[in-house]
Amino acid sequence: MSDITAAIDEVAVTPLIHNAEAALGTSSRSGSGRLGSFDVSWSAKASFSGGAVDLIAPGTIRLADITMSYSLGVSFSLALSSILPVLCLPSVCVNIPCVGEVCTPPICIDWPSITIPTSFSDSLLFTADFRLETYLAGADWKVDLVVEGLPSLELTPAAGRLLSTIGDAAAAALAPVPFIGPFLGGAILLIKNTIATAGARGLLGLILTPFVSGIRYTVITQPRIQEVLPAAGPSDPAVRIQLDAVSAAIVSSDEDEFVLSVDISPA
Amino acid sequence: METLDSRTLGPADTYARRFSTAGQYRYSVASAGLHCVAINARFTINITDRSTATSQHIVQVRLDGRHLVADPEDLEIGIGEGVMWHAADASTPRYAIHGAGMQTTFQSAALGMQSLYTHAFGLPGVYAWIDAIGGKLWGEISVRDPDLCAEPAREEWVRALKRGALVYIDGDIATPRRVEIFTGQTVFWAIRQAGRQGITITDRCLVRPHPTG
């Protein structure tokens, strides 16, 4: 039997978790990889909020419909020569009176390599199960919620929007390339078809999964040594206790409760 | 980037000149922006009274190490024949031709009589061009992208690429003043008359307005 037992229900746990989400703030990650014929580099920011709490004995907290808000900066680089046909302007001749025929030499176009910078912001909902983890960190006892497994992210709707954004960004990046005009529509279509919704979904998964795979919320932090009575004078010092052991669990009785058990001793 | 400016020749440009007097002409190929720097005129054109098999000779300008060179370096042509300079490829820096001989000078940065400037337009838009040296010369080139969705349009465009648009320059008058072409087509400016200072064909956007307005 513990010295102290505290129990709160789902309603009372909810603000603890939402405060922990807010305290976690915005996380950033960056990386690079390859997507078909593109070199891709990205930077991403994500934060979490909300979620309906469901306490499941003996040790699981399920958060349903957590909102993940994210913004991405993704750069796609490719050599245009890999998607555009060879274009050589032919020799052009004009006849100038008193001079005769004058011809330019053929000019072959060197398609440049381009970078398509894309900015994309969106949010999605997901559900995840968390286990309770209690540990002593320096002078504090902490209770964390640690995500279990890899939550499934429904990325298809966002992938469609990302693909559309990439198409717009490609149009802006390609338009200033000399001589591309006649091929512009086809090149944008080819870029979108090369990536396709499946590629965009894979890219989103690659970027966003690391944000959710290691979510850890600290919901409770308590000093190991706590003053329970202040000093009343030189001969009456403060009374302190030490938290010797802390454990957390979900207990199911008439309702599901988050229960914190603490063993104490005089400090 | 698309630049219409005969003062600095790029991969989409050519400069040509017809030589009517026998003798030796020496010239240099300078990087754009070095107009005022004296550069060793190491390349030659010898004009003889023996006509050659062609009335037009091509000189390629290319980068050799850190220097721009003309290829061939020395050329022998007949009286009344022309020489056309063009960049070897897109990696060739923008350049200008400066030459002299037989009491005359010639330079691509100031087009004189019997010279020609061509530019292949790579981007759609309306290009209002003027003479950056200060003449009253002006003109306008409208460039539009073809719609290649339909096969006949593709064939029409490919045929159009082989057709040049010719603009004559007679002093301050360009004829025609306005030209409409497709992307990829080439405009030829043939200088029949020009003042002693010469002229340029320069996108108006590239010319700083005079301080006095």
Side-chain angles (χ1 to χ4, degrees):
Chain A
M1 184 73 179
S2 302
D3 298 318
I4 300 171
T5 301
I8 52 176
D9 63 8
E10 287 170 349
V11 174
V13 167
T14 298
L16 279 181
I17 294 176
H18 290 172
N19 288 344
E21 286 175 330
L24 199 60
T26 301
S27 311
S28 301
R29 287 175 184 273
S30 60
S32 59
R34 194 142 179 91
L35 181 64
S37 50
F38 299 92
D39 285 321
V40 186
S41 62
W42 66 82
S43 61
K45 291 180 178 178
S47 62
F48 303 97
S49 60
V53 177
D54 184 12
L55 302 179
I56 303 168
T60 300
I61 295 181
R62 177 166 295 159
L63 280 179
D65 292 340
I66 304 169
T67 301
M68 179 185 191
S69 302
Y70 61 90
S71 59
L72 314 178
V74 188
S75 287
F76 301 87
S77 301
L78 85 159
L80 281 178
S81 56
S82 67
I83 63 166
L84 291 175
V86 172
L87 175 64
C88 287
L89 304 180
S91 173
V92 183
C93 298
V94 295
N95 209 313
I96 301 174
C98 306
V99 173
E101 189 174 63
V102 179
C103 300
T104 61
I107 299 172
C108 287
I109 307 304
D110 282 351
W111 297 118
S113 292
I114 61 153
T115 297
I116 303 170
T118 306
S119 297
F120 184 70
S121 296
D122 206 347
S123 63
L124 56 84
L125 300 176
F126 70 99
T127 295
D129 286 348
F130 294 82
R131 70 174 188 276
L132 295 163
E133 197 172 292
T134 308
Y135 59 98
L136 187 61
D140 292 323
W141 279 98
K142 291 179 183 283
V143 180
D144 285 2
L145 302 189
V146 182
V147 74
E148 288 196 301
L150 204 56
S152 170
L153 302 178
E154 176 46 59
L155 299 170
T156 303
R161 290 191 287 275
L162 174 60
L163 194 58
S164 174
T165 304
I166 291 169
D168 293 342
L174 293 179
V177 175
F179 301 102
I180 202 171
F183 309 101
L184 187 59
I188 294 166
L189 195 62
L190 195 60
I191 287 170
K192 289 178 72 173
N193 287 347
T194 301
I195 297 173
T197 304
R201 190 173 56 233
L203 182 64
L204 280 175
L206 186 67
I207 296 172
L208 298 181
T209 300
F211 283 103
V212 298
S213 66
I215 305 176
R216 174 185 281 267
Y217 298 138
T218 299
V219 290
I220 292 173
T221 300
Q222 286 295 323
R224 182 165 161 257
I225 306 292
Q226 302 203 5
E227 186 177 280
V228 290
L229 280 175
S235 58
D236 190 1
V239 176
R240 294 187 177 88
I241 59 166
Q242 174 175 294
L243 311 189
D244 296 321
V246 176
S247 64
I250 307 300
V251 176
S252 186
S253 52
D254 55 334
E255 65 174 328
D256 297 320
E257 291 181 312
F258 176 90
V259 176
L260 200 62
S261 303
V262 183
D263 290 335
I264 61 170
S265 63
Chain B
M1 186 185 157
E2 176 87 338
T3 304
L4 172 63
D5 193 352
S6 62
R7 296 173 298 180
T8 65
L9 303 172
D13 301 313
T14 70
Y15 163 66
R17 190 183 190 279
R18 190 165 169 241
F19 294 88
S20 304
T21 308
Q24 187 180 67
Y25 295 78
R26 300 184 70 82
Y27 70 94
S28 62
V29 182
S31 288
L34 295 180
H35 311 310
C36 302
V37 179
I39 294 170
N40 182 23
R42 55 182 280 214
F43 310 112
T44 61
I45 301 168
N46 286 304
I47 320 297
T48 68
D49 55 6
R50 294 189 304 273
S51 65
T52 60
T54 176
S55 62
Q56 182 189 331
H57 302 264
I58 297 286
V59 175
Q60 207 172 60
V61 174
R62 60 181 171 81
L63 206 52
D64 182 14
R66 295 172 58 194
H67 301 284
L68 284 163
V69 296
D71 185 6
E73 294 190 354
D74 305 304
L75 196 61
E76 188 167 309
I77 68 173
I79 292 172
E81 294 174 358
V83 177
M84 176 178 280
W85 288 265
H86 77 97
D89 53 41
S91 66
T92 307
R94 298 187 75 84
Y95 65 94
I97 304 292
H98 303 254
M102 311 311 295
Q103 283 83 50
T104 64
T105 61
F106 62 95
Q107 50 180 320
S108 58
L111 301 168
M113 280 176 63
Q114 302 204 68
S115 62
L116 181 82
Y117 167 68
T118 76
H119 180 78
F121 285 82
L123 291 173
V126 176
Y127 297 79
W129 61 268
I130 59 172
D131 171 15
I133 293 174
K136 294 172 182 169
L137 192 60
W138 64 271
E140 197 173 271
I141 313 293
S142 294
V143 184
R144 66 186 171 94
D145 280 336
D147 176 11
L148 293 190
C149 294
E151 193 56 36
R154 185 186 302 266
E155 288 172 7
E156 187 192 336
W157 179 60
V158 170
R159 277 198 302 272
L161 290 181
K162 295 176 184 169
R163 288 196 305 268
L166 182 56
V167 177
Y168 292 108
I169 304 297
D170 294 289
D172 285 337
I173 305 295
T175 310
R177 280 212 195 274
R178 290 186 170 83
V179 173
E180 288 187 17
I181 57 170
F182 283 125
T183 304
Q185 279 193 276
T186 301
V187 177
F188 291 65
W189 283 267
I191 320 304
R192 293 198 292 207
Q193 284 182 43
R196 273 180 24 198
Q197 287 185 309
I199 60 134
T200 77
I201 308 296
T202 305
D203 190 319
R204 198 173 57 192
C205 300
L206 299 173
V207 180
R208 241 183 257 169
H210 194 274
T212 57

PDB file of all heavy atoms in Angstrom, chain B residues 12-27:
ATOM      1  N   ALA B  12      22.338  32.925 -77.672  1.00  0.00           N
ATOM      2  CA  ALA B  12      21.218  33.054 -78.614  1.00  0.00           C
ATOM      3  C   ALA B  12      21.461  34.177 -79.625  1.00  0.00           C
ATOM      4  O   ALA B  12      20.563  34.512 -80.400  1.00  0.00           O
ATOM      5  CB  ALA B  12      19.920  33.299 -77.852  1.00  0.00           C
ATOM      6  N   ASP B  13      22.669  34.772 -79.585  1.00  0.00           N
ATOM      7  CA  ASP B  13      22.967  35.921 -80.449  1.00  0.00           C
ATOM      8  C   ASP B  13      24.029  35.565 -81.494  1.00  0.00           C
ATOM      9  O   ASP B  13      24.859  34.676 -81.281  1.00  0.00           O
ATOM     10  CB  ASP B  13      23.535  37.086 -79.627  1.00  0.00           C
ATOM     11  CG  ASP B  13      22.591  37.554 -78.534  1.00  0.00           C
ATOM     12  OD1 ASP B  13      21.408  37.739 -78.837  1.00  0.00           O
ATOM     13  OD2 ASP B  13      23.057  37.709 -77.393  1.00  0.00           O
ATOM     14  N   THR B  14      24.012  36.316 -82.579  1.00  0.00           N
ATOM     15  CA  THR B  14      25.179  36.317 -83.475  1.00  0.00           C
ATOM     16  C   THR B  14      25.437  37.769 -83.878  1.00  0.00           C
ATOM     17  O   THR B  14      24.542  38.624 -83.821  1.00  0.00           O
ATOM     18  CB  THR B  14      24.971  35.492 -84.770  1.00  0.00           C
ATOM     19  OG1 THR B  14      24.032  36.170 -85.607  1.00  0.00           O
ATOM     20  CG2 THR B  14      24.487  34.081 -84.469  1.00  0.00           C
ATOM     21  N   TYR B  15      26.661  38.019 -84.269  1.00  0.00           N
ATOM     22  CA  TYR B  15      27.049  39.326 -84.814  1.00  0.00           C
ATOM     23  C   TYR B  15      27.783  39.039 -86.122  1.00  0.00           C
ATOM     24  O   TYR B  15      28.614  38.128 -86.186  1.00  0.00           O
ATOM     25  CB  TYR B  15      27.957  40.048 -83.815  1.00  0.00           C
ATOM     26  CG  TYR B  15      28.749  41.192 -84.414  1.00  0.00           C
ATOM     27  CD1 TYR B  15      28.122  42.337 -84.903  1.00  0.00           C
ATOM     28  CD2 TYR B  15      30.143  41.143 -84.471  1.00  0.00           C
ATOM     29  CE1 TYR B  15      28.860  43.385 -85.444  1.00  0.00           C
ATOM     30  CE2 TYR B  15      30.890  42.178 -85.005  1.00  0.00           C
ATOM     31  CZ  TYR B  15      30.236  43.304 -85.492  1.00  0.00           C
ATOM     32  OH  TYR B  15      30.971  44.332 -86.028  1.00  0.00           O
ATOM     33  N   ALA B  16      27.438  39.793 -87.138  1.00  0.00           N
ATOM     34  CA  ALA B  16      28.094  39.564 -88.433  1.00  0.00           C
ATOM     35  C   ALA B  16      28.483  40.896 -89.049  1.00  0.00           C
ATOM     36  O   ALA B  16      27.859  41.930 -88.760  1.00  0.00           O
ATOM     37  CB  ALA B  16      27.161  38.796 -89.374  1.00  0.00           C
ATOM     38  N   ARG B  17      29.515  40.841 -89.878  1.00  0.00           N
ATOM     39  CA  ARG B  17      29.935  42.066 -90.571  1.00  0.00           C
ATOM     40  C   ARG B  17      30.461  41.700 -91.954  1.00  0.00           C
ATOM     41  O   ARG B  17      31.101  40.658 -92.121  1.00  0.00           O
ATOM     42  CB  ARG B  17      31.037  42.790 -89.786  1.00  0.00           C
ATOM     43  CG  ARG B  17      31.326  44.183 -90.345  1.00  0.00           C
ATOM     44  CD  ARG B  17      32.471  44.829 -89.593  1.00  0.00           C
ATOM     45  NE  ARG B  17      32.619  46.242 -89.943  1.00  0.00           N
ATOM     46  CZ  ARG B  17      33.233  46.689 -91.021  1.00  0.00           C
ATOM     47  NH1 ARG B  17      33.769  45.848 -91.892  1.00  0.00           N
ATOM     48  NH2 ARG B  17      33.337  47.996 -91.262  1.00  0.00           N
ATOM     49  N   ARG B  18      30.147  42.564 -92.877  1.00  0.00           N
ATOM     50  CA  ARG B  18      30.623  42.370 -94.251  1.00  0.00           C
ATOM     51  C   ARG B  18      31.844  43.263 -94.456  1.00  0.00           C
ATOM     52  O   ARG B  18      31.858  44.425 -94.014  1.00  0.00           O
ATOM     53  CB  ARG B  18      29.503  42.776 -95.208  1.00  0.00           C
ATOM     54  CG  ARG B  18      29.731  42.414 -96.648  1.00  0.00           C
ATOM     55  CD  ARG B  18      28.398  42.529 -97.390  1.00  0.00           C
ATOM     56  NE  ARG B  18      28.609  42.441 -98.817  1.00  0.00           N
ATOM     57  CZ  ARG B  18      28.297  43.417 -99.679  1.00  0.00           C
ATOM     58  NH1 ARG B  18      27.749  44.539 -99.254  1.00  0.00           N
ATOM     59  NH2 ARG B  18      28.504  43.248-100.967  1.00  0.00           N
ATOM     60  N   PHE B  19      32.878  42.712 -95.085  1.00  0.00           N
ATOM     61  CA  PHE B  19      34.129  43.457 -95.298  1.00  0.00           C
ATOM     62  C   PHE B  19      34.289  43.779 -96.786  1.00  0.00           C
ATOM     63  O   PHE B  19      34.319  42.873 -97.619  1.00  0.00           O
ATOM     64  CB  PHE B  19      35.321  42.648 -94.787  1.00  0.00           C
ATOM     65  CG  PHE B  19      35.300  42.469 -93.298  1.00  0.00           C
ATOM     66  CD1 PHE B  19      34.621  41.402 -92.719  1.00  0.00           C
ATOM     67  CD2 PHE B  19      35.941  43.377 -92.462  1.00  0.00           C
ATOM     68  CE1 PHE B  19      34.591  41.235 -91.351  1.00  0.00           C
ATOM     69  CE2 PHE B  19      35.903  43.225 -91.084  1.00  0.00           C
ATOM     70  CZ  PHE B  19      35.226  42.150 -90.518  1.00  0.00           C
ATOM     71  N   SER B  20      34.394  45.083 -97.065  1.00  0.00           N
ATOM     72  CA  SER B  20      34.385  45.509 -98.469  1.00  0.00           C
ATOM     73  C   SER B  20      35.732  46.034 -98.952  1.00  0.00           C
ATOM     74  O   SER B  20      35.886  46.396-100.123  1.00  0.00           O
ATOM     75  CB  SER B  20      33.341  46.613 -98.675  1.00  0.00           C
ATOM     76  OG  SER B  20      32.086  46.151 -98.242  1.00  0.00           O
ATOM     77  N   THR B  21      36.692  46.125 -98.026  1.00  0.00           N
ATOM     78  CA  THR B  21      37.991  46.663 -98.416  1.00  0.00           C
ATOM     79  C   THR B  21      39.076  45.634 -98.129  1.00  0.00           C
ATOM     80  O   THR B  21      39.119  45.069 -97.031  1.00  0.00           O
ATOM     81  CB  THR B  21      38.295  47.967 -97.620  1.00  0.00           C
ATOM     82  OG1 THR B  21      37.183  48.855 -97.774  1.00  0.00           O
ATOM     83  CG2 THR B  21      39.562  48.637 -98.118  1.00  0.00           C
ATOM     84  N   ALA B  22      39.933  45.410 -99.100  1.00  0.00           N
ATOM     85  CA  ALA B  22      41.002  44.420 -98.906  1.00  0.00           C
ATOM     86  C   ALA B  22      42.005  44.916 -97.870  1.00  0.00           C
ATOM     87  O   ALA B  22      42.221  46.118 -97.702  1.00  0.00           O
ATOM     88  CB  ALA B  22      41.701  44.154-100.240  1.00  0.00           C
ATOM     89  N   GLY B  23      42.590  43.972 -97.149  1.00  0.00           N
ATOM     90  CA  GLY B  23      43.573  44.325 -96.125  1.00  0.00           C
ATOM     91  C   GLY B  23      43.417  43.437 -94.904  1.00  0.00           C
ATOM     92  O   GLY B  23      42.604  42.509 -94.889  1.00  0.00           O
ATOM     93  N   GLN B  24      44.206  43.765 -93.883  1.00  0.00           N
ATOM     94  CA  GLN B  24      44.136  42.947 -92.675  1.00  0.00           C
ATOM     95  C   GLN B  24      43.378  43.680 -91.558  1.00  0.00           C
ATOM     96  O   GLN B  24      43.602  44.860 -91.307  1.00  0.00           O
ATOM     97  CB  GLN B  24      45.536  42.583 -92.169  1.00  0.00           C
ATOM     98  CG  GLN B  24      45.454  41.591 -91.012  1.00  0.00           C
ATOM     99  CD  GLN B  24      46.816  41.201 -90.494  1.00  0.00           C
ATOM    100  OE1 GLN B  24      47.542  42.028 -89.919  1.00  0.00           O
ATOM    101  NE2 GLN B  24      47.192  39.952 -90.700  1.00  0.00           N
ATOM    102  N   TYR B  25      42.500  42.961 -90.918  1.00  0.00           N
ATOM    103  CA  TYR B  25      41.755  43.467 -89.758  1.00  0.00           C
ATOM    104  C   TYR B  25      42.137  42.605 -88.562  1.00  0.00           C
ATOM    105  O   TYR B  25      42.246  41.385 -88.680  1.00  0.00           O
ATOM    106  CB  TYR B  25      40.241  43.367 -89.992  1.00  0.00           C
ATOM    107  CG  TYR B  25      39.733  44.244 -91.119  1.00  0.00           C
ATOM    108  CD1 TYR B  25      39.894  43.865 -92.453  1.00  0.00           C
ATOM    109  CD2 TYR B  25      39.097  45.452 -90.841  1.00  0.00           C
ATOM    110  CE1 TYR B  25      39.442  44.654 -93.479  1.00  0.00           C
ATOM    111  CE2 TYR B  25      38.633  46.258 -91.866  1.00  0.00           C
ATOM    112  CZ  TYR B  25      38.804  45.865 -93.182  1.00  0.00           C
ATOM    113  OH  TYR B  25      38.355  46.657 -94.207  1.00  0.00           O
ATOM    114  N   ARG B  26      42.362  43.237 -87.441  1.00  0.00           N
ATOM    115  CA  ARG B  26      42.657  42.500 -86.210  1.00  0.00           C
ATOM    116  C   ARG B  26      41.527  42.768 -85.228  1.00  0.00           C
ATOM    117  O   ARG B  26      40.982  43.874 -85.179  1.00  0.00           O
ATOM    118  CB  ARG B  26      44.000  42.965 -85.611  1.00  0.00           C
ATOM    119  CG  ARG B  26      45.168  42.751 -86.571  1.00  0.00           C
ATOM    120  CD  ARG B  26      46.482  43.139 -85.918  1.00  0.00           C
ATOM    121  NE  ARG B  26      46.862  42.196 -84.869  1.00  0.00           N
ATOM    122  CZ  ARG B  26      47.476  41.040 -85.085  1.00  0.00           C
ATOM    123  NH1 ARG B  26      47.798  40.689 -86.336  1.00  0.00           N
ATOM    124  NH2 ARG B  26      47.782  40.233 -84.105  1.00  0.00           N
ATOM    125  N   TYR B  27      41.224  41.751 -84.453  1.00  0.00           N
ATOM    126  CA  TYR B  27      40.131  41.965 -83.499  1.00  0.00           C
ATOM    127  C   TYR B  27      40.349  41.148 -82.232  1.00  0.00           C
ATOM    128  O   TYR B  27      41.174  40.219 -82.202  1.00  0.00           O
ATOM    129  CB  TYR B  27      38.770  41.617 -84.131  1.00  0.00           C
ATOM    130  CG  TYR B  27      38.526  40.152 -84.389  1.00  0.00           C
ATOM    131  CD1 TYR B  27      37.849  39.371 -83.453  1.00  0.00           C
ATOM    132  CD2 TYR B  27      38.966  39.555 -85.571  1.00  0.00           C
ATOM    133  CE1 TYR B  27      37.607  38.026 -83.690  1.00  0.00           C
ATOM    134  CE2 TYR B  27      38.740  38.209 -85.804  1.00  0.00           C
ATOM    135  CZ  TYR B  27      38.056  37.447 -84.874  1.00  0.00           C
ATOM    136  OH  TYR B  27      37.843  36.118 -85.110  1.00  0.00           O
TER     137      TYR B  27
END
